[in-house]
Amino acid sequence: MTPEIINLSRDPAHVRHGSNVGQPLTRRDGILKVKGEARYAADNHPPGMLYAVLAVSSIARGRVSFLDVPAAKRHPGVVEVMTPANRPPLAENPDAKTNPFMFRLDLLQNDKVRYANQSIAVVIAETLEAATEGAALLAPQYDVLPARIGLDSNESFVPPVVGIGNPSEVRRGDVEAGLAAASKRIEATYETPAQYHNAMEPHAIVVAWDGDKLSIETPSQGLAMAQGRIAGLFGISPANIHIRSPFLGGGFGSKGFISGPQLLGILAARLVGRPVKLVLRREQMYGPVGYRAPTRQTMRIGVDGDGMLTAMDHHAKTVSSTFDDFFEPAADASHTLYASPAIATSHEAVRVDTGTPLFMRAPGEATGSIVLESAIDEMAFACGMDPLAFRLKNYADVEPISGKPFSSKALRQCYAQGAERFGWAKRPLAPRAMRDEAGLLVGWGMGTATFPALMFQAEARAVVRSDGSGVMETGAHDMGQGAWTAFAQIAADGLGLDLEQVEFKSGTSDLPDAGIAGGSAHTATAGTAIHNAGAAVIAKLADLAMGDKRSPLFGAGNAGVIARGGRLHRRDDETRSESYGDILGRAGLAEIEARDNSAADPAAQSNYAMHAHGAVFAEVKVDPDLGQIRVTRMVGAFAAGRVINPRMVRSQLFGGMIWGMSFALHEQAVMDPRSGRILNANLGEYHIPVNADVPSLDVLTVDEHDPHVNALGIKGVGEIGITGSAGAVANAVWHATGVRVRRFPIGIDDLVMGLTG
């Protein structure tokens, strides 16, 4: 297996000026990636390694009646074929659930098929080619049952919870009375499609057993969670499982939990007694590793004669698999923004023959916000009001459902700064009122962005050495967003050192648990643990100095000290200082260490609503004859607390805005209702934006100090950009054409029918 993770603190791209935090440093792993030297999971080739390839079902429901295992094993190079008949035993039932973050897995426990692309066998061979050809020779046969696919394919029910533990129905005030009293009302139904994670790096695992010890290379957004799940399934101690995940080629939620295919790689290695590599092909990712469920959402909104909301009712219908529970909390998007005296949100679901939907970037918020923002825009037009003015009039100063205060001033600044940069004041109210010099219809739309400011639990270990250097360790995850760069900046400031003096270690399961990289919470979670660990080790160092009569800091306990530049300075007299090396040298210590952790403050959580906010403005051009849509520019203004690295934050916000545009115009999985198979399970026909689709993006970050979210004031930026952008593009298309398409992504056929009808 590969050596331990590289030291990411070497060769800094910039010499810092002032604080490390807040500096727009380039990513510290960038050179390795550009040169092709960054080693991802599948790049590892331990001695004696075999290749494993999945054989997957071509039906969505039924059972496997025949596999030609002898034919596959006769193929030169094939070593073994793993099926339900010879799969090694597990210590736990993969269909068992003991906590809300545990999902059922397909690990060849029987011959039942629950969805298309489910694993039905694993072929293990000396070469990838032999394993692939052996899988084809299995020639499976099935007893087929009709596939239940789509929102109307099965009996609907009210799920007990949506998301993770959220109530499926929430009500405040009398919605029906509010709608009855309204002077204007709208009721509209919208549909969003199934969407699949398409990270550049597919799920992969390279695994080797040594007795009851496991060495694993695999991409993971949650090392400790993966370690615990593997330990339970295989009946071994988590301490015997060493997972390395130094680089992830994207995750978007799909790598938050160890998946069935990765676990099959571990089982395959146990079966053959040799190291094994298993990598999913692109089309095999459409099924066993989660997806964003389709929805059908109905919005009912009423306003009074002054354009003030009287009621909002947001109902969402979604799907889960036939064998597990995850329900997209789409309607919950209406909980947090608009000050209606009566709000109701509710969900229903059907069970379908697909893999279990799971967390996908901005789960619930992405699907719900495009509907909410489209409906708010439609209501503004019905009132004859500018969409921005309507939002400002109805924006809440406290969270509407909970009544908790939050930083509403920040969103108002986002509205103002984004509108000014975009030139929103020149927007005509009426649709189809603008054309460019080529005769294309021009439309401007906007959407409000919001995402909860979450925080989980994490731990970090800090070390100060007698040579004046420092070490910071935490098992954090970098999915390509530059997390390690930001964490190193926090570590340097926490230790009072220059960035080049700090060795930052991360990406392996033997380091302190950094929590999960999800919910846009990783920087806040792991970053706060890093900050606290740095403070803890500096406190220990200060105790040494202030208790030593030979130190110029002796007796400074009441005044305290400041750590800066590898020295401790008295707060009341900064000319009295001492280096870390001198303090440790007199104490006879080569180094001093401390651990600390992070967690959300229960008191702050109970008293304040915590969100990041933003506003997105979009311009589109539409061919009036062909219905072809082009997004020509987007401007986003976001308030997301303290910015650790402006360069990385802008990159994340750009990514979210592009995904929002993709949601509105490009992305959908097309499913064959007869077979339950996805017809566009590739990157040729599963449409996502390319550079030519995004000609102009502009991001503003609005200064915000929120003292309640965490000690560093950090809010996440990974997902918020989706929530305003999808609605902004959809509303711009309406403004250009006068056609309100309520099925996403907006298709040329829907638009042309409206333009010519």
Side-chain angles (χ1 to χ4, degrees):
M1 308 301 261
T2 60
E4 293 305 314
I5 189 166
I6 57 171
N7 175 7
L8 291 172
S9 63
R10 69 186 185 192
D11 301 329
H14 297 277
V15 177
R16 75 175 180 88
H17 300 282
S19 172
N20 295 287
V21 168
Q23 297 298 315
L25 306 184
T26 56
R27 59 184 71 231
R28 303 174 70 77
D29 52 338
I31 293 175
L32 290 174
K33 290 180 176 178
V34 169
K35 293 172 67 176
E37 295 176 359
R39 180 162 289 191
Y40 292 81
D43 294 329
N44 292 281
H45 300 83
M49 186 191 80
L50 299 174
Y51 293 83
V53 167
L54 297 181
V56 300
S57 65
S58 59
I59 67 167
R61 183 182 175 210
R63 58 176 291 272
V64 179
S65 60
F66 174 76
L67 289 170
D68 197 346
V69 173
K73 294 183 75 169
R74 285 194 299 268
H75 187 283
V78 170
V79 173
E80 185 60 272
V81 178
M82 186 168 68
T83 71
N86 67 338
R87 188 214 68 186
L90 292 168
E92 288 181 351
N93 181 353
D95 278 324
K97 295 187 71 160
T98 58
N99 67 69
F101 284 94
M102 184 177 286
F103 293 92
R104 296 187 171 102
L105 300 161
D106 290 287
L107 299 181
L108 303 180
Q109 56 263 50
N110 52 50
D111 61 6
K112 187 176 181 180
V113 174
R114 307 194 277 202
Y115 56 91
N117 272 343
Q118 176 188 315
S119 302
I120 58 174
V122 181
V123 177
I124 309 151
E126 297 287 352
T127 66
L128 177 62
E129 293 80 5
T132 302
E133 291 163 3
L137 289 171
L138 288 173
Q141 297 176 17
Y142 306 95
D143 293 332
V144 184
L145 293 171
R148 297 161 294 187
I149 300 299
L151 288 161
D152 300 309
S153 63
N154 215 337
E155 183 178 352
S156 65
F157 61 96
V158 176
V161 296
V162 294
I164 294 294
N166 299 344
S168 61
E169 183 173 341
V170 174
R171 293 185 178 274
R172 184 177 72 88
D174 191 333
V175 167
E176 297 305 326
L179 290 171
S183 62
K184 287 185 172 60
R185 292 176 292 276
I186 65 166
E187 180 173 347
T189 299
Y190 305 78
E191 292 196 3
T192 66
Q195 298 175 348
Y196 280 78
H197 309 88
N198 267 293
M200 287 188 292
E201 178 198 27
H203 293 64
I205 191 164
V206 178
V207 56
W209 285 90
D210 180 8
D212 64 349
K213 294 183 178 180
L214 266 173
S215 181
I216 295 172
E217 309 274 356
T218 196
S220 173
Q221 293 175 236
L223 286 168
M225 290 180 66
Q227 194 179 39
R229 185 70 159 126
I230 295 167
L233 285 166
F234 289 89
I236 58 179
S237 168
N240 286 353
I241 302 168
H242 189 198
I243 306 174
R244 283 176 289 270
S245 185
F247 299 102
L248 278 77
F252 313 128
S254 72
K255 295 170 184 171
F257 307 95
I258 195 81
S259 70
Q262 290 163 298
L263 290 161
L264 287 171
I266 300 174
L267 283 163
R270 169 161 276 187
L271 179 66
V272 297
R274 289 171 61 179
V276 163
K277 177 194 291 189
L278 189 153
V279 182
L280 288 187
R281 297 197 306 267
R282 176 64 55 182
E283 69 272 16
Q284 292 175 342
M285 294 176 63
Y286 290 73
V289 296
Y291 70 104
R292 196 193 306 281
T295 71
R296 181 180 298 139
Q297 302 177 54
T298 300
M299 288 290 306
R300 297 190 298 158
I301 302 178
V303 297
D304 62 20
D306 295 325
M308 297 293 293
L309 291 166
T310 61
M312 291 177 54
D313 181 25
H314 191 167
H315 177 73
K317 186 177 185 180
T318 188
V319 306
S320 191
S321 67
T322 59
F323 57 93
D324 210 346
D325 294 341
F326 181 84
F327 305 101
E328 182 84 357
D332 288 0
S334 289
H335 288 175
T336 59
L337 279 176
Y338 299 110
S340 173
I343 298 177
T345 61
S346 56
H347 297 81
E348 65 175 308
V350 299
R351 296 202 179 277
V352 294
D353 296 312
T354 68
T356 304
L358 283 175
F359 304 95
M360 185 167 173
R361 209 174 191 196
E365 287 86 5
T367 45
S369 66
I370 190 172
V371 169
L372 173 63
E373 291 304 299
S374 296
I376 287 291
D377 203 75
E378 192 167 347
M379 191 77 254
F381 179 70
C383 295
M385 294 180 64
D386 175 79
L388 175 55
F390 184 80
R391 285 171 170 83
L392 285 167
K393 191 179 188 72
N394 285 284
Y395 179 65
D397 289 317
V398 297
E399 190 177 54
I401 290 293
S402 70
K404 298 177 184 178
F406 60 88
S407 52
S408 58
K409 181 181 177 182
L411 178 52
R412 296 183 186 277
Q413 291 176 341
C414 293
Y415 282 145
Q417 294 184 30
E420 182 180 5
R421 178 71 64 90
F422 187 81
W424 183 261
K426 299 177 182 178
R427 178 188 185 272
L429 283 178
R432 297 197 68 154
M434 295 193 295
R435 288 182 184 254
D436 71 359
E437 64 280 359
L440 298 178
L441 298 168
V442 179
W444 291 0
M446 69 163 296
T448 304
T450 183
F451 196 81
L454 302 175
M455 186 172 175
F456 308 127
Q457 295 182 342
E459 186 183 18
R461 174 179 177 264
V463 177
V464 171
R465 295 168 171 159
S466 59
D467 64 1
S469 66
V471 181
M472 187 67 73
E473 298 178 341
T474 187
H477 320 81
D478 192 324
M479 292 178 283
Q481 76 273 44
W484 283 343
T485 307
F487 289 147
Q489 291 176 260
I490 296 170
D493 278 359
L495 293 172
L497 295 170
D498 291 337
L499 193 61
E500 58 268 26
Q501 295 173 294
V502 177
E503 181 182 2
F504 179 67
K505 295 182 178 181
S506 189
T508 63
S509 64
D510 56 345
L511 298 175
D513 179 9
I516 189 169
S520 295
H522 198 39
T523 306
T525 300
T528 301
I530 289 167
H531 168 80
N532 291 345
V537 77
I538 292 299
K540 291 176 97 173
L541 191 67
D543 285 344
L544 283 178
M546 293 186 297
D548 186 345
K549 293 181 179 180
R550 296 167 292 176
S551 171
L553 302 176
F554 175 71
N558 290 332
V561 298
I562 299 171
R564 185 175 61 247
R567 302 181 69 85
L568 296 184
H569 303 257
R570 281 187 65 129
R571 285 184 181 274
D572 58 351
D573 182 1
E574 291 201 22
T575 63
R576 298 175 64 181
S577 69
E578 190 170 23
S579 72
Y580 298 172
D582 287 345
I583 297 169
L584 291 172
R586 272 199 318 275
L589 297 174
E591 63 182 36
I592 189 170
E593 74 164 89
R595 288 177 177 253
D596 214 321
N597 52 43
S598 64
D601 179 359
Q605 293 280 328
S606 64
N607 292 326
Y608 297 95
M610 299 178 182
H611 301 277
H613 292 112
V616 181
F617 300 82
E619 177 185 85
V620 303
K621 294 186 177 182
V622 181
D623 188 305
D625 300 313
L626 302 178
Q628 187 179 47
I629 307 166
R630 291 294 304 275
V631 176
T632 47
R633 63 190 180 104
M634 296 178 72
V635 173
F638 300 93
R642 189 179 193 186
V643 173
I644 301 301
N645 185 311
R647 185 189 299 265
M648 304 304 167
V649 164
R650 284 174 59 84
S651 177
Q652 283 289 283
L653 293 171
F654 281 152
M657 291 168 67
I658 293 167
W659 196 323
M661 185 196 73
S662 180
F663 196 120
L665 299 181
H666 295 270
E667 193 171 350
Q668 65 174 329
V670 180
M671 191 165 288
D672 184 344
R674 301 165 300 175
S675 67
R677 296 174 66 181
I678 295 172
L679 300 175
N680 59 336
N682 53 65
L683 287 183
E685 297 168 294
Y686 185 93
H687 295 159
I688 56 175
V690 297
N691 284 353
D693 293 310
V694 194
S696 176
L697 285 174
D698 192 8
V699 161
L700 300 84
T701 52
V702 174
D703 289 338
E704 179 187 23
H705 174 63
D706 188 332
H708 307 297
V709 286
N710 50 66
L712 294 174
I714 296 170
K715 299 180 179 180
V717 295
E719 293 161 281
I720 186 175
I722 303 173
T723 63
S725 301
V729 172
N731 292 333
V733 171
W734 170 83
H735 187 242
T737 64
V739 179
R740 182 70 70 177
V741 180
R742 300 189 181 94
R743 181 176 62 182
F744 303 108
I746 298 171
I748 288 177
D749 51 348
D750 292 325
L751 208 54
V752 168
M753 290 178 65
L755 287 167
T756 60

